[in-house]
Amino acid sequence: MAAGLAEAGVRRLVVVGLASIMPGASGVALMDEPGYPDGYRSFYLGHAAGLDELRTCDLDWAYVAPAGDFDHDGTRTGGYRVAEHGDPASRISYPDFAIALVDEIEAPRHHRSALSVREV
């Protein structure tokens, strides 16, 4: 996938990711921490494989994931913060997550890296 993008002239890719594959406070992926829901593990593993592919390609990329989960009823606050790790208890609203994505697209601050975002 990534090789084809580079051949097509794509220089930067911003990907929406999953909290479950981001490292938790222990440094281990959230999906591998005790007590983390396991019902969608094959879905988590698919995202982890995609991130692994990004790490081996020549593109400039950013993998942006919520630090925990989406606040489905959340309203736009206009803010977010980059989190040091995933946290199943953290939330971010859809509108604020969208702001984080657009910010990363318009003014790239993270290169060839995965980041978590959460509410302020």
Side-chain angles (χ1 to χ4, degrees):
M1 170 203 70
L5 292 172
E7 289 173 18
V10 173
R11 293 188 195 125
R12 176 140 172 97
L13 181 65
V14 177
V15 177
V16 174
L18 293 177
S20 55
I21 70 168
M22 300 301 291
S26 69
V28 174
L30 288 177
M31 68 179 177
D32 294 329
E33 289 189 350
Y36 197 81
D38 208 25
Y40 298 101
R41 188 163 181 86
S42 61
F43 186 65
Y44 307 156
L45 292 172
H47 270 261
L51 180 56
D52 287 344
E53 182 172 341
L54 286 174
R55 288 182 170 134
T56 64
C57 77
D58 293 331
L59 287 175
D60 180 16
W61 55 270
Y63 183 94
V64 184
D69 199 1
F70 289 110
D71 183 354
H72 301 283
D73 298 322
T75 58
R76 180 180 176 196
T77 66
Y80 63 90
R81 66 184 169 113
V82 174
E84 293 182 21
H85 54 77
D87 176 0
S90 74
R91 298 288 177 263
I92 188 164
S93 69
Y94 286 124
D96 289 336
F97 189 76
I99 290 169
L101 286 172
V102 171
D103 285 351
E104 190 60 39
I105 292 166
E106 292 183 344
R109 294 182 298 151
H110 302 90
H111 302 276
R112 300 186 54 78
S113 63
L115 61 136
S116 296
V117 293
R118 65 184 306 167
E119 63 191 5
V120 177

